[in-house]
Amino acid sequence: MKPDAREQLSQDLLSCAYKDLTDVQRSVIDLIATEAPTDVDRRLKVDERSRGERLADRVADIGGSWSFIIGFMVALLGWMAWNILTRGFGLSFDPYPFIFLNLMLSTLAAIQAPIIMMSQNRQAARDRVDATHDYEVNLKAEIEIMALHEKMDVLRHTEITAMHRQVEDMARRLERIEAALGSRPAQ
């Protein structure tokens, strides 16, 4: 595609010079100029996350689910019940005030929180990429719709001009017929 074609498209569609467009707008003009699709189908993309990143995302998925919360609550209640009910039999391994349980919970929170934050940061980055892609698609669609409107306006103008010519031609014919009928003697 020639640079002047891109310049012409940016002037026609966005009323702006190609060099003055943002990167996203240039990308959209390039896509329109080359008539290329906006993006490759996401299902064809390969998951480029490392094993640790996939594990962090899985931990965040599980840690943020109701099944985890309910299961964890059951485990905590079971821990406390076991240590309270078996205290008299010498089977209690963490008597009230459950110091070992507090240590385990603190350790779990200290490990789980940064893992979930890493996952959220990656998700936020993916969301930004998705938002940029959505913006490009929407901008391209809007520009294409504007171009279609302009084409329809040109077609409508062409049709109206042709109809106007036909009406003028019919009017001239009618005038000739009237003149021919007016010049004949009445019977």
Side-chain angles (χ1 to χ4, degrees), residues 134-158:
D134 290 346
Y135 176 73
E136 287 176 355
V137 169
N138 291 340
L139 183 60
K140 183 179 178 188
E142 185 176 345
I143 290 171
E144 292 287 348
I145 289 169
M146 288 167 45
L148 286 173
H149 276 288
E150 189 165 324
K151 286 179 183 178
M152 291 297 293
D153 290 344
V154 168
L155 284 172
R156 189 176 301 128
H157 178 70
T158 305

PDB file of all heavy atoms in Angstrom, residues 134-158:
ATOM      1  N   ASP A 134     -10.028  -4.224  21.634  1.00  0.00           N
ATOM      2  CA  ASP A 134     -11.441  -3.858  21.487  1.00  0.00           C
ATOM      3  C   ASP A 134     -11.577  -2.456  20.913  1.00  0.00           C
ATOM      4  O   ASP A 134     -12.435  -2.202  20.065  1.00  0.00           O
ATOM      5  CB  ASP A 134     -12.173  -3.938  22.837  1.00  0.00           C
ATOM      6  CG  ASP A 134     -12.351  -5.366  23.318  1.00  0.00           C
ATOM      7  OD1 ASP A 134     -12.161  -6.300  22.517  1.00  0.00           O
ATOM      8  OD2 ASP A 134     -12.675  -5.542  24.510  1.00  0.00           O
ATOM      9  N   TYR A 135     -10.724  -1.545  21.375  1.00  0.00           N
ATOM     10  CA  TYR A 135     -10.759  -0.179  20.860  1.00  0.00           C
ATOM     11  C   TYR A 135     -10.437  -0.168  19.365  1.00  0.00           C
ATOM     12  O   TYR A 135     -11.097   0.513  18.587  1.00  0.00           O
ATOM     13  CB  TYR A 135      -9.770   0.705  21.633  1.00  0.00           C
ATOM     14  CG  TYR A 135      -9.683   2.107  21.087  1.00  0.00           C
ATOM     15  CD1 TYR A 135     -10.716   3.019  21.298  1.00  0.00           C
ATOM     16  CD2 TYR A 135      -8.584   2.518  20.344  1.00  0.00           C
ATOM     17  CE1 TYR A 135     -10.645   4.312  20.789  1.00  0.00           C
ATOM     18  CE2 TYR A 135      -8.509   3.800  19.830  1.00  0.00           C
ATOM     19  CZ  TYR A 135      -9.536   4.684  20.062  1.00  0.00           C
ATOM     20  OH  TYR A 135      -9.470   5.949  19.545  1.00  0.00           O
ATOM     21  N   GLU A 136      -9.412  -0.932  18.971  1.00  0.00           N
ATOM     22  CA  GLU A 136      -9.043  -0.997  17.554  1.00  0.00           C
ATOM     23  C   GLU A 136     -10.195  -1.544  16.718  1.00  0.00           C
ATOM     24  O   GLU A 136     -10.506  -1.008  15.655  1.00  0.00           O
ATOM     25  CB  GLU A 136      -7.806  -1.870  17.359  1.00  0.00           C
ATOM     26  CG  GLU A 136      -6.520  -1.239  17.819  1.00  0.00           C
ATOM     27  CD  GLU A 136      -5.334  -2.182  17.686  1.00  0.00           C
ATOM     28  OE1 GLU A 136      -5.531  -3.367  17.319  1.00  0.00           O
ATOM     29  OE2 GLU A 136      -4.208  -1.740  17.960  1.00  0.00           O
ATOM     30  N   VAL A 137     -10.810  -2.622  17.200  1.00  0.00           N
ATOM     31  CA  VAL A 137     -11.929  -3.218  16.465  1.00  0.00           C
ATOM     32  C   VAL A 137     -13.081  -2.222  16.357  1.00  0.00           C
ATOM     33  O   VAL A 137     -13.661  -2.040  15.283  1.00  0.00           O
ATOM     34  CB  VAL A 137     -12.393  -4.527  17.153  1.00  0.00           C
ATOM     35  CG1 VAL A 137     -13.710  -5.008  16.575  1.00  0.00           C
ATOM     36  CG2 VAL A 137     -11.327  -5.600  17.023  1.00  0.00           C
ATOM     37  N   ASN A 138     -13.413  -1.565  17.467  1.00  0.00           N
ATOM     38  CA  ASN A 138     -14.512  -0.602  17.452  1.00  0.00           C
ATOM     39  C   ASN A 138     -14.205   0.584  16.545  1.00  0.00           C
ATOM     40  O   ASN A 138     -15.085   1.055  15.810  1.00  0.00           O
ATOM     41  CB  ASN A 138     -14.823  -0.110  18.868  1.00  0.00           C
ATOM     42  CG  ASN A 138     -15.433  -1.189  19.724  1.00  0.00           C
ATOM     43  OD1 ASN A 138     -15.970  -2.169  19.224  1.00  0.00           O
ATOM     44  ND2 ASN A 138     -15.338  -1.032  21.024  1.00  0.00           N
ATOM     45  N   LEU A 139     -12.970   1.078  16.598  1.00  0.00           N
ATOM     46  CA  LEU A 139     -12.591   2.202  15.755  1.00  0.00           C
ATOM     47  C   LEU A 139     -12.642   1.803  14.289  1.00  0.00           C
ATOM     48  O   LEU A 139     -13.161   2.550  13.445  1.00  0.00           O
ATOM     49  CB  LEU A 139     -11.188   2.703  16.129  1.00  0.00           C
ATOM     50  CG  LEU A 139     -10.692   3.926  15.372  1.00  0.00           C
ATOM     51  CD1 LEU A 139     -11.624   5.120  15.598  1.00  0.00           C
ATOM     52  CD2 LEU A 139      -9.279   4.275  15.817  1.00  0.00           C
ATOM     53  N   LYS A 140     -12.138   0.613  13.978  1.00  0.00           N
ATOM     54  CA  LYS A 140     -12.178   0.146  12.593  1.00  0.00           C
ATOM     55  C   LYS A 140     -13.622   0.004  12.133  1.00  0.00           C
ATOM     56  O   LYS A 140     -13.967   0.426  11.022  1.00  0.00           O
ATOM     57  CB  LYS A 140     -11.443  -1.184  12.455  1.00  0.00           C
ATOM     58  CG  LYS A 140     -11.388  -1.678  11.021  1.00  0.00           C
ATOM     59  CD  LYS A 140     -10.637  -2.973  10.892  1.00  0.00           C
ATOM     60  CE  LYS A 140     -10.656  -3.441   9.439  1.00  0.00           C
ATOM     61  NZ  LYS A 140     -10.098  -4.770   9.295  1.00  0.00           N
ATOM     62  N   ALA A 141     -14.480  -0.561  12.975  1.00  0.00           N
ATOM     63  CA  ALA A 141     -15.888  -0.721  12.607  1.00  0.00           C
ATOM     64  C   ALA A 141     -16.543   0.643  12.391  1.00  0.00           C
ATOM     65  O   ALA A 141     -17.302   0.826  11.428  1.00  0.00           O
ATOM     66  CB  ALA A 141     -16.625  -1.501  13.689  1.00  0.00           C
ATOM     67  N   GLU A 142     -16.255   1.583  13.262  1.00  0.00           N
ATOM     68  CA  GLU A 142     -16.833   2.917  13.131  1.00  0.00           C
ATOM     69  C   GLU A 142     -16.373   3.583  11.831  1.00  0.00           C
ATOM     70  O   GLU A 142     -17.175   4.185  11.107  1.00  0.00           O
ATOM     71  CB  GLU A 142     -16.428   3.781  14.331  1.00  0.00           C
ATOM     72  CG  GLU A 142     -17.066   5.138  14.347  1.00  0.00           C
ATOM     73  CD  GLU A 142     -16.726   5.926  15.602  1.00  0.00           C
ATOM     74  OE1 GLU A 142     -16.231   5.334  16.584  1.00  0.00           O
ATOM     75  OE2 GLU A 142     -16.951   7.143  15.580  1.00  0.00           O
ATOM     76  N   ILE A 143     -15.085   3.446  11.516  1.00  0.00           N
ATOM     77  CA  ILE A 143     -14.561   4.027  10.282  1.00  0.00           C
ATOM     78  C   ILE A 143     -15.181   3.344   9.064  1.00  0.00           C
ATOM     79  O   ILE A 143     -15.552   4.008   8.089  1.00  0.00           O
ATOM     80  CB  ILE A 143     -13.020   3.948  10.265  1.00  0.00           C
ATOM     81  CG1 ILE A 143     -12.442   4.915  11.299  1.00  0.00           C
ATOM     82  CG2 ILE A 143     -12.464   4.247   8.883  1.00  0.00           C
ATOM     83  CD1 ILE A 143     -10.955   4.775  11.522  1.00  0.00           C
ATOM     84  N   GLU A 144     -15.310   2.026   9.128  1.00  0.00           N
ATOM     85  CA  GLU A 144     -15.931   1.299   8.015  1.00  0.00           C
ATOM     86  C   GLU A 144     -17.388   1.726   7.840  1.00  0.00           C
ATOM     87  O   GLU A 144     -17.858   1.891   6.714  1.00  0.00           O
ATOM     88  CB  GLU A 144     -15.859  -0.219   8.255  1.00  0.00           C
ATOM     89  CG  GLU A 144     -14.468  -0.789   8.192  1.00  0.00           C
ATOM     90  CD  GLU A 144     -13.894  -0.878   6.788  1.00  0.00           C
ATOM     91  OE1 GLU A 144     -14.644  -0.701   5.809  1.00  0.00           O
ATOM     92  OE2 GLU A 144     -12.684  -1.093   6.665  1.00  0.00           O
ATOM     93  N   ILE A 145     -18.094   1.929   8.926  1.00  0.00           N
ATOM     94  CA  ILE A 145     -19.489   2.378   8.849  1.00  0.00           C
ATOM     95  C   ILE A 145     -19.557   3.777   8.241  1.00  0.00           C
ATOM     96  O   ILE A 145     -20.425   4.059   7.400  1.00  0.00           O
ATOM     97  CB  ILE A 145     -20.157   2.328  10.237  1.00  0.00           C
ATOM     98  CG1 ILE A 145     -20.381   0.879  10.660  1.00  0.00           C
ATOM     99  CG2 ILE A 145     -21.470   3.096  10.239  1.00  0.00           C
ATOM    100  CD1 ILE A 145     -20.784   0.701  12.104  1.00  0.00           C
ATOM    101  N   MET A 146     -18.638   4.647   8.655  1.00  0.00           N
ATOM    102  CA  MET A 146     -18.603   5.990   8.068  1.00  0.00           C
ATOM    103  C   MET A 146     -18.352   5.913   6.562  1.00  0.00           C
ATOM    104  O   MET A 146     -18.994   6.626   5.774  1.00  0.00           O
ATOM    105  CB  MET A 146     -17.522   6.841   8.748  1.00  0.00           C
ATOM    106  CG  MET A 146     -17.867   7.260  10.156  1.00  0.00           C
ATOM    107  SD  MET A 146     -16.492   7.948  11.122  1.00  0.00           S
ATOM    108  CE  MET A 146     -15.706   9.048  10.011  1.00  0.00           C
ATOM    109  N   ALA A 147     -17.432   5.022   6.152  1.00  0.00           N
ATOM    110  CA  ALA A 147     -17.139   4.862   4.723  1.00  0.00           C
ATOM    111  C   ALA A 147     -18.367   4.325   3.984  1.00  0.00           C
ATOM    112  O   ALA A 147     -18.667   4.765   2.869  1.00  0.00           O
ATOM    113  CB  ALA A 147     -15.946   3.930   4.535  1.00  0.00           C
ATOM    114  N   LEU A 148     -19.071   3.382   4.606  1.00  0.00           N
ATOM    115  CA  LEU A 148     -20.294   2.856   3.985  1.00  0.00           C
ATOM    116  C   LEU A 148     -21.355   3.946   3.857  1.00  0.00           C
ATOM    117  O   LEU A 148     -22.049   4.025   2.842  1.00  0.00           O
ATOM    118  CB  LEU A 148     -20.843   1.676   4.795  1.00  0.00           C
ATOM    119  CG  LEU A 148     -20.076   0.369   4.666  1.00  0.00           C
ATOM    120  CD1 LEU A 148     -20.620  -0.665   5.645  1.00  0.00           C
ATOM    121  CD2 LEU A 148     -20.157  -0.157   3.242  1.00  0.00           C
ATOM    122  N   HIS A 149     -21.498   4.776   4.876  1.00  0.00           N
ATOM    123  CA  HIS A 149     -22.450   5.887   4.805  1.00  0.00           C
ATOM    124  C   HIS A 149     -22.083   6.812   3.651  1.00  0.00           C
ATOM    125  O   HIS A 149     -22.965   7.267   2.904  1.00  0.00           O
ATOM    126  CB  HIS A 149     -22.476   6.685   6.114  1.00  0.00           C
ATOM    127  CG  HIS A 149     -23.361   6.101   7.154  1.00  0.00           C
ATOM    128  ND1 HIS A 149     -24.726   6.129   7.076  1.00  0.00           N
ATOM    129  CD2 HIS A 149     -23.071   5.447   8.314  1.00  0.00           C
ATOM    130  CE1 HIS A 149     -25.250   5.539   8.130  1.00  0.00           C
ATOM    131  NE2 HIS A 149     -24.265   5.113   8.898  1.00  0.00           N
ATOM    132  N   GLU A 150     -20.799   7.097   3.514  1.00  0.00           N
ATOM    133  CA  GLU A 150     -20.373   7.977   2.432  1.00  0.00           C
ATOM    134  C   GLU A 150     -20.670   7.342   1.076  1.00  0.00           C
ATOM    135  O   GLU A 150     -21.159   8.013   0.161  1.00  0.00           O
ATOM    136  CB  GLU A 150     -18.880   8.291   2.564  1.00  0.00           C
ATOM    137  CG  GLU A 150     -18.456   9.372   1.602  1.00  0.00           C
ATOM    138  CD  GLU A 150     -17.098   9.940   1.961  1.00  0.00           C
ATOM    139  OE1 GLU A 150     -16.801  10.064   3.159  1.00  0.00           O
ATOM    140  OE2 GLU A 150     -16.361  10.273   1.023  1.00  0.00           O
ATOM    141  N   LYS A 151     -20.419   6.041   0.943  1.00  0.00           N
ATOM    142  CA  LYS A 151     -20.721   5.352  -0.314  1.00  0.00           C
ATOM    143  C   LYS A 151     -22.225   5.392  -0.599  1.00  0.00           C
ATOM    144  O   LYS A 151     -22.638   5.606  -1.736  1.00  0.00           O
ATOM    145  CB  LYS A 151     -20.243   3.900  -0.257  1.00  0.00           C
ATOM    146  CG  LYS A 151     -18.749   3.757  -0.365  1.00  0.00           C
ATOM    147  CD  LYS A 151     -18.339   2.296  -0.269  1.00  0.00           C
ATOM    148  CE  LYS A 151     -16.828   2.161  -0.302  1.00  0.00           C
ATOM    149  NZ  LYS A 151     -16.397   0.764  -0.165  1.00  0.00           N
ATOM    150  N   MET A 152     -23.019   5.179   0.450  1.00  0.00           N
ATOM    151  CA  MET A 152     -24.476   5.238   0.270  1.00  0.00           C
ATOM    152  C   MET A 152     -24.907   6.633  -0.145  1.00  0.00           C
ATOM    153  O   MET A 152     -25.788   6.788  -1.002  1.00  0.00           O
ATOM    154  CB  MET A 152     -25.192   4.824   1.566  1.00  0.00           C
ATOM    155  CG  MET A 152     -25.055   3.359   1.915  1.00  0.00           C
ATOM    156  SD  MET A 152     -25.796   2.285   0.690  1.00  0.00           S
ATOM    157  CE  MET A 152     -27.512   2.679   0.900  1.00  0.00           C
ATOM    158  N   ASP A 153     -24.302   7.665   0.453  1.00  0.00           N
ATOM    159  CA  ASP A 153     -24.638   9.045   0.082  1.00  0.00           C
ATOM    160  C   ASP A 153     -24.288   9.303  -1.381  1.00  0.00           C
ATOM    161  O   ASP A 153     -25.062   9.944  -2.104  1.00  0.00           O
ATOM    162  CB  ASP A 153     -23.907  10.041   0.988  1.00  0.00           C
ATOM    163  CG  ASP A 153     -24.450  10.036   2.410  1.00  0.00           C
ATOM    164  OD1 ASP A 153     -25.561   9.508   2.618  1.00  0.00           O
ATOM    165  OD2 ASP A 153     -23.752  10.555   3.304  1.00  0.00           O
ATOM    166  N   VAL A 154     -23.144   8.803  -1.836  1.00  0.00           N
ATOM    167  CA  VAL A 154     -22.746   8.976  -3.237  1.00  0.00           C
ATOM    168  C   VAL A 154     -23.737   8.258  -4.143  1.00  0.00           C
ATOM    169  O   VAL A 154     -24.188   8.809  -5.159  1.00  0.00           O
ATOM    170  CB  VAL A 154     -21.298   8.470  -3.460  1.00  0.00           C
ATOM    171  CG1 VAL A 154     -20.970   8.356  -4.938  1.00  0.00           C
ATOM    172  CG2 VAL A 154     -20.304   9.378  -2.762  1.00  0.00           C
ATOM    173  N   LEU A 155     -24.088   7.006  -3.772  1.00  0.00           N
ATOM    174  CA  LEU A 155     -25.073   6.259  -4.572  1.00  0.00           C
ATOM    175  C   LEU A 155     -26.412   6.991  -4.610  1.00  0.00           C
ATOM    176  O   LEU A 155     -27.038   7.110  -5.673  1.00  0.00           O
ATOM    177  CB  LEU A 155     -25.266   4.848  -4.007  1.00  0.00           C
ATOM    178  CG  LEU A 155     -24.170   3.844  -4.304  1.00  0.00           C
ATOM    179  CD1 LEU A 155     -24.409   2.557  -3.524  1.00  0.00           C
ATOM    180  CD2 LEU A 155     -24.113   3.547  -5.795  1.00  0.00           C
ATOM    181  N   ARG A 156     -26.862   7.456  -3.464  1.00  0.00           N
ATOM    182  CA  ARG A 156     -28.139   8.173  -3.384  1.00  0.00           C
ATOM    183  C   ARG A 156     -28.087   9.435  -4.235  1.00  0.00           C
ATOM    184  O   ARG A 156     -29.014   9.731  -4.988  1.00  0.00           O
ATOM    185  CB  ARG A 156     -28.459   8.509  -1.928  1.00  0.00           C
ATOM    186  CG  ARG A 156     -29.858   9.061  -1.756  1.00  0.00           C
ATOM    187  CD  ARG A 156     -30.222   9.298  -0.306  1.00  0.00           C
ATOM    188  NE  ARG A 156     -30.142   8.066   0.475  1.00  0.00           N
ATOM    189  CZ  ARG A 156     -29.446   7.955   1.607  1.00  0.00           C
ATOM    190  NH1 ARG A 156     -28.796   8.989   2.098  1.00  0.00           N
ATOM    191  NH2 ARG A 156     -29.416   6.828   2.260  1.00  0.00           N
ATOM    192  N   HIS A 157     -26.989  10.169  -4.176  1.00  0.00           N
ATOM    193  CA  HIS A 157     -26.837  11.380  -4.972  1.00  0.00           C
ATOM    194  C   HIS A 157     -26.863  11.032  -6.462  1.00  0.00           C
ATOM    195  O   HIS A 157     -27.507  11.726  -7.260  1.00  0.00           O
ATOM    196  CB  HIS A 157     -25.541  12.104  -4.607  1.00  0.00           C
ATOM    197  CG  HIS A 157     -25.302  13.334  -5.414  1.00  0.00           C
ATOM    198  ND1 HIS A 157     -26.061  14.468  -5.279  1.00  0.00           N
ATOM    199  CD2 HIS A 157     -24.399  13.593  -6.403  1.00  0.00           C
ATOM    200  CE1 HIS A 157     -25.649  15.377  -6.128  1.00  0.00           C
ATOM    201  NE2 HIS A 157     -24.639  14.880  -6.825  1.00  0.00           N
ATOM    202  N   THR A 158     -26.165   9.959  -6.849  1.00  0.00           N
ATOM    203  CA  THR A 158     -26.154   9.522  -8.243  1.00  0.00           C
ATOM    204  C   THR A 158     -27.558   9.162  -8.705  1.00  0.00           C
ATOM    205  O   THR A 158     -27.985   9.551  -9.797  1.00  0.00           O
ATOM    206  CB  THR A 158     -25.200   8.321  -8.415  1.00  0.00           C
ATOM    207  OG1 THR A 158     -23.909   8.682  -7.933  1.00  0.00           O
ATOM    208  CG2 THR A 158     -25.107   7.886  -9.861  1.00  0.00           C
TER     209      THR A 158
END
